[in-house]
Structure formats: structure tokens, C-alpha cells
Amino acid sequence: MPALGLGTWENDDPEACRTSVRTALETGYRHVDTAQIYRNEAAVGDGIAAADVDRGEVFLATKVWTNRLGHDDVIESTKESLERLGTDYLDLLYVHWPSGDYDPAETLPALEELREEGLVERIGVSNFEPSHIETAREVLDAPIFANQIEVHPLLQQRRLREFCADADIELVAYSPLARGDVFGVDVLSEIADERGVSEAQVSLAWLREKGITAIPKATGGDHIRDNWASLELTLSESETERIDALEDERRKVDPSFAPEAW
């Protein structure tokens, strides 16, 4: 999986979304993340089509929302996503949350069927805790490729990171900049000033140091390029340790529909 992707949450103006996806791909990004609930899959597809990049070079992911997780709904809604995205296959399809209509025995076999049909190359989960992953692995024959979770320097997810590493599951970070809260954090600002970079770049470099793929959302070209420049930044051991020592329980996403065990 590419080390950095473009997130598109809240990028729901069709023209702005199309332009940002195209800009990101032509900047060098090769991973684009969307979801059914974002209501921008068509614009994401238009941006991919408009970019001077072959579809085969793009790692494209979307997510099935909680009200479409019954077996037949997973199949139907994924085919609708493919049509909106203007593509014959998805590189990665996630279960967005283990809640709502989610039933491992109904939901997960549908994802496997889509994979067997060649419509989905990899199966992923999102917002899954270890107990959810263990249950899913008991149901699935195919491997779980990735778990997309909130993780950033202010929510470091050590226990879940260790669990997924042991299970050979990639981690993908949404809200990797803590929805802007990384700006103004003293340690991050100090490192950024010392290196002549942004706090965003420091945060994204820290995630990469931990083996996590980040998908920061960005619409403007300046932010898209600034995030991309993080790939040139390598933190020192001492810098990484300073970030590791930050208070790390500042969760930004805690919806009322999250499962009880979450």
C-alpha cells in the first residue's frame, strides 16, 4: 500500500473534490480513499479519470456504510459504488464500522464473494477493535488486509497497533492531523521549526515511522503538496521519542453509534 494517501471525508463539493483528487494524483499520490457515506464517489471517480495517471496505478478504496451491511446490501451497494467511481474493481473495500446492520456471518461472506468475482481485490475493516477483528478472522477465509482507524500523535493506539502488527494487518490512519489539533502542540511545533517544515509534515512522518499509512484530507493544492512533502522528512530517534511521549488520549471521533466494545 502506498505510504501516503488522499482522504476525501467532507470533500463533498463535486468540482472541488474532482480537482483535489486530480491535483493529488498529478502531485504523486497513488492512494485515494472515499466512502459511501461521504457522498462523493462520483466526484472521486471523475478526478481519477481527469488525472494524467492510469487507473491501474491508483490504489482506490471505499467503505460500505452501516445501513448497507446485510449480505445482499453489501453486494448491491458495492456495485453501485463501482458505477459511481467509474471503475471495474476496488483495490480495497472496507466495512466502515462494526455497527448498524453489521453481522459478521452476513456481512463478511458478501465481501468474500465480491473478492472472488474480481470486483474487490482486498478486504478491509475500519474502526475495529481486537475483539471485532478476532471474530472477523474466524468467519473469513480471505485475509483482512487493513484496519482504518483514527490514529495520530495525540491518539497513538499502542495496543491496537501491536495487535494488528501481530495479525499482519496494515493500519491506515484517518484524521492523522487530529482534525487540526496537531498545530500548536509544543513538541510538534518545536520539531517543525527546527526542521523548517510544518507540524502536519512532522505528524505524517511520525505515522510513517510507525509503519502506518496516513490519508489526510486536503482540498487545496498547497495542503496537498505540503502533506506530500512529508515523504522527504525522516525523524531522528530522539524526535520520534519526544512525540511518543505526548499525551495520547485525544480522540476526535467518538460517534454515538460506535459499538459498545469500541
Side-chain angles (χ1 to χ4, degrees):
M1 181 187 295
L4 183 69
L6 178 72
T8 61
W9 177 69
E10 288 190 331
N11 194 350
D12 51 11
D13 177 86
E15 182 59 28
C17 184
R18 185 190 74 82
T19 299
S20 62
V21 170
R22 178 179 180 177
T23 299
L25 291 173
E26 293 183 348
T27 297
Y29 290 72
R30 290 297 180 267
H31 179 180
V32 179
D33 181 90
T34 183
Q36 293 172 357
I37 196 64
Y38 299 171
R39 304 188 189 283
N40 63 7
E41 288 175 320
V44 168
D46 289 345
I48 293 171
D52 188 22
V53 175
D54 290 340
R55 165 66 183 95
E57 296 181 30
V58 180
F59 189 96
L60 178 59
T62 194
K63 311 175 199 72
V64 183
W65 188 238
T66 60
N67 66 347
R68 303 300 301 272
L69 291 175
H71 178 278
D72 293 347
D73 273 346
V74 170
I75 303 291
E76 181 180 357
S77 70
T78 300
K79 290 180 178 178
E80 292 168 357
S81 290
L82 289 167
E83 185 173 348
R84 286 190 292 267
L85 287 161
T87 187
D88 295 330
Y89 71 98
L90 293 164
D91 296 273
L92 177 58
L93 180 65
Y94 294 99
V95 175
H96 205 148
W97 284 88
S99 59
D101 293 340
Y102 178 67
D103 177 347
E106 288 284 323
T107 304
L108 300 174
L111 270 70
E112 287 196 306
E113 289 176 28
L114 290 164
R115 184 172 180 265
E116 289 165 3
E117 290 180 34
L119 301 180
V120 170
E121 291 200 346
R122 300 166 185 82
I123 293 171
V125 297
S126 184
N127 299 298
F128 274 46
E129 289 292 316
S131 61
H132 305 121
I133 294 172
E134 288 172 346
T135 299
R137 294 177 80 191
E138 291 172 1
V139 173
L140 285 166
D141 291 324
I144 296 172
F145 177 76
N147 185 17
Q148 186 177 132
I149 60 170
E150 180 186 353
V151 56
H152 44 72
L154 307 180
L155 181 69
Q156 297 188 12
Q157 299 273 28
R158 291 180 176 87
R159 182 177 70 94
L160 190 51
R161 278 164 39 202
E162 182 178 352
F163 179 90
C164 288
D166 290 343
D168 197 26
I169 295 172
E170 299 272 349
L171 279 180
V172 178
Y174 70 75
S175 297
L177 307 181
R179 298 192 177 177
D181 281 3
V182 299
F183 297 96
V185 174
D186 288 346
V187 168
L188 300 177
S189 296
E190 289 164 7
I191 295 171
D193 289 344
E194 290 162 5
R195 291 300 206 92
V197 298
S198 66
E199 292 99 326
Q201 289 185 40
V202 173
S203 300
L204 296 173
W206 177 83
L207 286 163
R208 193 174 70 254
E209 174 70 24
K210 301 301 180 184
I212 300 169
T213 295
I215 49 167
K217 70 169 186 173
T219 53
D222 288 348
H223 286 157
I224 288 169
R225 287 185 285 273
D226 184 70
N227 291 341
W228 183 250
S230 69
L231 295 174
E232 300 299 317
L233 176 63
T234 300
L235 299 175
S236 69
E237 184 177 346
S238 64
E239 289 169 333
T240 300
E241 289 174 351
R242 288 165 67 191
I243 298 171
D244 289 348
L246 287 170
E247 177 188 354
D248 64 347
E249 292 300 328
R250 290 192 242 176
R251 187 182 294 277
K252 302 299 294 183
V253 179
D254 192 6
S256 60
F257 58 78
E260 192 171 309
W262 188 72

